[in-house]
Amino acid sequence: MSGLQPGRVLIVSSALMAKLEVFEGRPADLPGLLVVHKCRPARGGGGLFLRPGLAGPGLRPAGMGVPRWRCPPAPIPSLYTCGQNSPGYLEVMSACHQRAADALVAGAISNGGLYVKLGQGLCSFNHLLPPEYIKTLRVLEDRALTQGFREVDELFLEDFRAPPHELFQEFDYQPIAAASLAQVHRARLHDGTVVAVKVQYIDLRDRFEGDIYTLELLLQLVELMHPSFGFSWVLQDLKGTLAQELDFENEGRNAERCARELQHFRYVVVPRVHWDVSSKRVLTAEFCEGCKVNDVEAIKTMGLAVRDIAEKLIKAFAEQIFYTGFVHSDPHPGNVLVRKGPDGKGQLVLLDHGLYQFLDEKDRSALCQLWRAIILRDEAAMKAHAAALGVQDYFLFSEVLMQRPVRLRQLWRSRLLSREEAAYMRDMAREHFEEVMAVLKALPRPMLLVLRNLNTVRAINTALGAPVDRYFLMAKSAVRGWSRLAGTTCQNVYGASLLRHIRVIWESLKFEVALRLETLSMRITALLVRVLVHLGLVPKTKALYEFLET
């Protein structure tokens, strides 16, 4: 929308009007623009830009409605005319971020598919990106561009040789959610069961290869201008995995495997797939009500504890990362719902099982031990287990993994990043970008999507107010996972199950004791230093003050 000029008229379709919803409430972004509505064209149809008074024959189709808004032309403050130290700088910078975020959302929704998925991925960087981006990009989690009923009917006829009203007792053509690859409709089977029907965008497969090629070209152009900003290899490595998302039968199998592997977590719900009304482009599953996992007010309204929800979320995905190895790689808030279970306690409903990654046992074992070593600040173990994952710069990798500064001989004093820690992470990402890229390239390729899972769960926990210590909870899961993985080597030994259970308890106890001894040691040291400072035996320098603060 940045190309629009004051005094122009935009004639838009119904589909494009839906795209413009994100701009409502901010008419100053579109100065002097008159938005009108024309009859519905095919999906993806555009509009016309006309000067007032120039609408000729054929340019005012039937069905044109009243203007949505009209604003007088207004100058947009520029960063070029506003110095960094001027009073209005922060306001101008915020407006600049907002315009850029709006442009990203409009572009993602217009192009759909992979572009929406990229926008969803940016939402998880809430500790690095300005808040204007995070708030605006959240619309992509469940409100992408929708397709009309004719296209839905056409897809059903191609896949089932029957329209939806023949396969279902009821079928609501108005989607209840729309995401990167598909939209979801509420329906009722002939036996009365309420289901959610996920319908792929009909042109998605035709556009996929073109979208991949376009993204590769754009990344190569960026790399040409900024050689250190080389992400084209990531797309090369992941495009096969992304292509699997287009196969909804594969997604159904992933959902069933996830349900089996997490069945011991009674609070995890995976909607049951109805295979008789599913295909490679249509997935029908049990309908589950719930709110987004990051909706604090809705969680409290249901009478549920935010702390309990955060703890369950972290434990469920830690189980996948550290033990099963079958990792949900797209757990953004639109794909994790919260509902009250029959026992009155919170349940997590896991949706969208199209993007999964498998981490083999060797890499899982190394990751488990690395996480434990980072929490205990065991430098020798950090170095050894990072090397087992192919990374030599173990310290930088530890910070990338944790998305938090790691200082040896200093435990974290808070579950939340301080302002100084957030600034450190931003500076690290900017000043050590090439080193970070080298670390990512050295990792086993499955680890890239595991890092996506870790960062997304971190972002959700932060949005909930970090009510639990994610790092410590995941370390406990890592210790348990490593103990169980190590125990599988003696499966054929009589009583192996009992031995494995004893080993899990023993390793968990050792970790708890080691962490508490480390914490006690640091507190005693800090107390002694404070006593020496109070007695005047040690000068209170800036470095000493920072040590006492941590």
Side-chain angles (χ1 to χ4, degrees), residues 2-223:
S2 59
L4 300 178
Q5 298 178 13
R8 294 294 178 103
V9 177
L10 174 62
I11 303 177
V12 300
S13 65
S14 298
L16 191 55
M17 188 65 77
K19 302 177 196 177
L20 290 171
E21 291 294 330
V22 296
F23 294 100
E24 288 192 341
R26 286 190 296 272
D29 286 0
L30 305 172
L33 178 67
L34 176 66
V35 181
V36 295
H37 185 197
K38 72 172 183 177
C39 56
R40 178 185 178 278
R43 179 172 179 261
L48 297 170
F49 293 95
L50 305 169
R51 290 188 179 279
L54 293 184
L59 296 180
R60 294 183 59 85
M64 183 181 290
V66 296
R68 296 293 296 271
W69 66 67
R70 186 183 180 98
C71 352
I76 299 176
S78 170
L79 289 172
Y80 292 107
T81 59
C82 187
Q84 194 166 357
N85 298 320
S86 63
Y89 178 78
L90 291 179
E91 185 179 348
V92 173
M93 177 60 81
S94 177
C96 179
H97 286 322
Q98 189 61 64
R99 289 194 298 274
D102 288 339
L104 282 173
V105 168
I109 291 177
S110 298
N111 291 289
L114 292 176
Y115 301 93
V116 172
K117 190 161 290 295
L118 289 173
Q120 291 172 349
L122 289 174
C123 288
S124 63
F125 290 93
N126 57 359
H127 59 316
L128 296 177
L129 290 176
E132 292 83 2
Y133 288 90
I134 304 303
K135 292 175 184 175
T136 306
L137 289 168
R138 280 178 184 157
V139 72
L140 299 177
E141 290 171 357
D142 55 9
R143 279 188 54 202
L145 181 64
T146 59
Q147 58 185 345
F149 70 94
R150 291 188 181 87
E151 289 159 311
V152 173
D153 279 350
E154 183 180 343
L155 187 143
F156 268 84
L157 288 170
E158 288 177 3
D159 282 24
F160 299 100
R161 303 197 178 197
H165 67 266
E166 291 184 13
L167 297 173
F168 301 95
Q169 186 183 105
E170 298 173 8
F171 185 89
D172 187 357
Y173 280 97
Q174 182 64 38
I176 56 176
S180 55
L181 307 181
Q183 61 190 37
V184 181
H185 299 262
R186 186 184 179 113
R188 190 182 299 274
L189 299 176
H190 289 293
D191 63 2
T193 304
V194 179
V195 292
V197 185
K198 183 176 179 180
V199 183
Q200 192 173 115
Y201 299 129
I202 194 166
D203 60 344
L204 190 64
R205 288 170 179 260
D206 297 332
R207 292 192 291 112
F208 182 78
E209 290 297 330
D211 285 348
I212 288 287
Y213 178 78
T214 303
L215 287 173
E216 285 178 337
L217 180 61
L218 289 173
L219 289 171
Q220 287 167 5
L221 288 173
V222 171
E223 195 170 346

Side-chain angles (χ1 to χ4, degrees), residues 410 529 539-550:
Q410 288 183 16
V529 172
K540 190 173 181 180
T541 63
K542 183 180 178 182
L544 184 61
Y545 176 79
E546 290 177 353
F547 169 76
L548 292 174
E549 281 294 299
T550 56

